[in-house]
Amino acid sequence: MTLHVTLPDGSPLELDDGATVYDAAAAIGPRLAKAAIAGRVTGASDGDPKLVDVTAPLHDGDTLAIVTLKADDPESLEVLRHTASHVMAQAVLRLWPGAKYSIGPAIENGFYYDFQLPEPIVESDLARIEAEMQKIVAEDHATVRAELPVDEALATFGKGPAGAAGPAGPQPFKVELIEDLVSAAEAAGEPVPTISVYSQGEFTDLCRGPHLPSTGRLGKGTYKLTSIAGAYWRGDERNAMLTRIYGTIFPSKEELAAYLEALEMARQRDHRRLGRDLDLFSFHDEGPGFPFFHPKGMRLWNAMIDFWRAEHVAAGYDEVRTPQILRRELWERSGHWDNYKDNMYFTQIDGNPYAVKPMNCPGGLLVYKSRRRSYRDLPMRVAEVGQVHRHEMSGVLHGLFRVRYFTQDDAHIYCTPDQLEDEVRGVLHFMLHIYAAFGFSDVKIELSTRPEKSIGSDEMWERAEGVLARVLESEEIAYQLNPGDGAFYGPKIDFHIRDVMGRTWQCGTIQADFAMPERLDISYTGADNEEHRPVMIHRALLGSIERFMGILLEHYGGNLPTWLAPVQVLVLPIADRHAAYARDVARLFCGAAEAVGMSGGAPVWVEVDDSSESLGKRIREGQLQKVPYILVVGDREQKDRTVSVRERGVDKGDAPLECVVTDVMDEIRERRLLAAP
RNA sequence: GCCGGCGUAGCUCAGUCGGUAGAGCAGCCGCCUUGUAAGCGGCAGGUCGACGGUUCGAAUCCGCCCGCCGGCUCCA
């Protein structure tokens, strides 16, 4: 008997009956057989490829791809990391025999495993665990898959007749997982599945697989345990807190080293460090989660907002400003009291209950209601750079990324139902335009629908969700559906930008809302002289100005585009006798800025450092402060009316003063981005 | 909020066995007048996060509180 499989290039392969993935690899070549870690198999009858062990038998008609370990094959990395997590668990079980193990998946860049340990462990235990892992790797245990009926699987993990502890000892988390698999199958009306388990040496784990063929396949020096953390069983804070151990592993030592180096790079461009080093903002014990912006931070802030404001005027927006604290009764009417009060701060004025605003919309609605509105006024696009306060759990605060007060670049668009779709479309394009200006062109989009806690009728929600989906589809924009993740008053389109390090950040949002206009009873007079209910769009582009600033800082590693830099030009006189000329240079920049009326007369940020430090010292200081242009002036420059240009650390030599001023001013005015951040 | 770790000068960090603190950088003063990433010298700077306890004596040991860092999203 023979069986026939097809390889990825379409070529056929004939094998003996009962041949495995490994046999197929061996039939192709001995090197491939040695390198094979799994197979990607598509059965003759089913469509999706499945990842299987090298020991898995093949069937006639299968299409097979041999998986080898490659950094650019995410599935191969997953197999590697998943096996590493099992090896780690085995090591932990050896060191702490009473440990209960729960789950241990591969994650981006590594893996973790959650344990309930008989005693707390500390960072220094990681080295012991790594040492034990090394032994297990050296022992080179084969990973053996077994398919067990449910009762046998339960017995394996210590739940058997008369409480007999199975080979793995009592493992309550595994038992719970198996029982859940059974009840999930029953609920779906499917047959009770067999349970797959993997063993390597004395260690057995409930696992879907696949795994590396043996523990010896973890390369020496390719893995490292990175941290210990608490994690709730199944991510639910009502459950037991387990100990999670994180690790990372790569196909080669070099890739691990590169990853660790990248981590260090990320640490260097952490916005919290840059905020301090560049004197942009600070945090204080007196106000945890409440950032303080310094003068240079405000320069960056204002550069962002000046641009933002000019674009909004051009896009037909007006701007309002509403109070921080409003009567609690307003928040009860808007639905925030019922849906959001856990995140709100409350206070009293003259004995009456008030709340600090967590959102700008109710205040904005009061502005709308301050006079009668006509259909001729619509659509009304009303922006608000509004500071909101939200009570976040203390453990989640993180620099500018997660704070307790922040500033939304909010806007509310009031329109007729007929105008809604066009307005959403307009905001969508506006959003992408603004991101591009800051240097973000890779944007991920999600559509979030009705959450459990919400206001408004089913019909409203259906309409609103329909409009958002329709816009995305008509614009042919790929998006991911996020069911149940909408705001309590309406569905939303969320925008995630990807930074230079590949991380994504949620920034913008567009929310269609039929509920709030009804709640706060706003209306407009139609052409028919009747009162009608407008629809409103809530939207933010940057989301939180603070957060966006943090993202910008990390994206550019502090080397901001010149138009955003808090100090744009630094002039360094070589000796005291050049100080007057240095100040002339600075004045020329300021005069030029005034002449072109930049950003409503915003100054160019030029500084002269004529301190008595050595030139090398002052250059170093300017570089550390990430000033884009350092202009050195000495006898030669003064005589020729030139400056010696050092642009972002690169000495560009002498250039005529006027030309440099014009070039730099053009770069700022055009808000030019850097070639490569 | 929960789990783990941490908290010494503005920053980065030493500080042994419990005997009341030290460096570099930054700051200030002076000298140097500088040619593309740290010139030289001096001075000053600390209720050792807060409070309570143990002790003849606490930065050090114990308790509690505050803050910071990592994680709690990735699911056999």
Short mmCIF file of all heavy atoms in Angstrom, two decimals, chain A residues 180-193:
data_model
loop_
_atom_site.label_atom_id
_atom_site.label_comp_id
_atom_site.label_asym_id
_atom_site.label_seq_id
_atom_site.Cartn_x
_atom_site.Cartn_y
_atom_site.Cartn_z
N ASP A 180 -14.23 21.77 30.98
CA ASP A 180 -14.78 22.83 30.13
C ASP A 180 -14.83 22.40 28.67
O ASP A 180 -15.76 22.74 27.95
CB ASP A 180 -13.95 24.11 30.26
CG ASP A 180 -14.31 24.88 31.52
OD1 ASP A 180 -15.09 24.34 32.33
OD2 ASP A 180 -13.82 26.01 31.69
N LEU A 181 -13.80 21.66 28.24
CA LEU A 181 -13.79 21.17 26.86
C LEU A 181 -15.01 20.28 26.63
O LEU A 181 -15.68 20.35 25.60
CB LEU A 181 -12.52 20.37 26.58
CG LEU A 181 -11.24 21.17 26.35
CD1 LEU A 181 -10.05 20.23 26.23
CD2 LEU A 181 -11.37 22.02 25.11
N VAL A 182 -15.29 19.46 27.64
CA VAL A 182 -16.42 18.54 27.54
C VAL A 182 -17.74 19.31 27.49
O VAL A 182 -18.56 19.10 26.59
CB VAL A 182 -16.42 17.55 28.73
CG1 VAL A 182 -17.69 16.71 28.71
CG2 VAL A 182 -15.18 16.67 28.67
N SER A 183 -17.90 20.25 28.42
CA SER A 183 -19.19 20.95 28.44
C SER A 183 -19.36 21.86 27.23
O SER A 183 -20.46 22.06 26.74
CB SER A 183 -19.39 21.72 29.75
OG SER A 183 -18.25 22.46 30.07
N ALA A 184 -18.24 22.38 26.70
CA ALA A 184 -18.34 23.20 25.49
C ALA A 184 -18.81 22.36 24.32
O ALA A 184 -19.64 22.79 23.52
CB ALA A 184 -16.98 23.84 25.18
N ALA A 185 -18.29 21.14 24.24
CA ALA A 185 -18.70 20.24 23.16
C ALA A 185 -20.16 19.87 23.29
O ALA A 185 -20.92 19.86 22.31
CB ALA A 185 -17.83 18.98 23.18
N GLU A 186 -20.56 19.59 24.55
CA GLU A 186 -21.96 19.24 24.78
C GLU A 186 -22.88 20.39 24.40
O GLU A 186 -23.90 20.21 23.75
CB GLU A 186 -22.18 18.85 26.26
CG GLU A 186 -21.76 17.42 26.54
CD GLU A 186 -21.67 17.13 28.03
OE1 GLU A 186 -21.89 18.06 28.85
OE2 GLU A 186 -21.35 15.98 28.38
N ALA A 187 -22.47 21.61 24.80
CA ALA A 187 -23.30 22.79 24.51
C ALA A 187 -23.45 22.98 23.01
O ALA A 187 -24.50 23.41 22.53
CB ALA A 187 -22.67 24.02 25.15
N ALA A 188 -22.40 22.66 22.27
CA ALA A 188 -22.44 22.85 20.82
C ALA A 188 -23.08 21.64 20.13
O ALA A 188 -23.18 21.61 18.91
CB ALA A 188 -21.03 23.08 20.30
N GLY A 189 -23.49 20.64 20.93
CA GLY A 189 -24.10 19.46 20.36
C GLY A 189 -23.13 18.59 19.59
O GLY A 189 -23.52 17.82 18.71
N GLU A 190 -21.85 18.72 19.94
CA GLU A 190 -20.85 17.90 19.27
C GLU A 190 -20.50 16.71 20.14
O GLU A 190 -20.73 16.73 21.34
CB GLU A 190 -19.59 18.75 19.01
CG GLU A 190 -19.78 19.79 17.94
CD GLU A 190 -18.69 20.85 17.95
OE1 GLU A 190 -17.68 20.64 18.65
OE2 GLU A 190 -18.87 21.89 17.28
N PRO A 191 -19.93 15.69 19.52
CA PRO A 191 -19.53 14.54 20.32
C PRO A 191 -18.42 14.93 21.29
O PRO A 191 -17.63 15.83 20.99
CB PRO A 191 -19.02 13.54 19.27
CG PRO A 191 -18.70 14.37 18.07
CD PRO A 191 -19.65 15.53 18.09
N VAL A 192 -18.38 14.26 22.43
CA VAL A 192 -17.33 14.54 23.41
C VAL A 192 -15.97 14.21 22.78
O VAL A 192 -15.79 13.11 22.25
CB VAL A 192 -17.55 13.72 24.68
CG1 VAL A 192 -16.39 13.90 25.64
CG2 VAL A 192 -18.86 14.14 25.33
N PRO A 193 -15.05 15.15 22.78
CA PRO A 193 -13.78 14.95 22.08
C PRO A 193 -12.86 14.02 22.86
O PRO A 193 -13.05 13.82 24.06
CB PRO A 193 -13.20 16.36 22.05
CG PRO A 193 -13.76 17.02 23.27
CD PRO A 193 -15.12 16.42 23.50
#
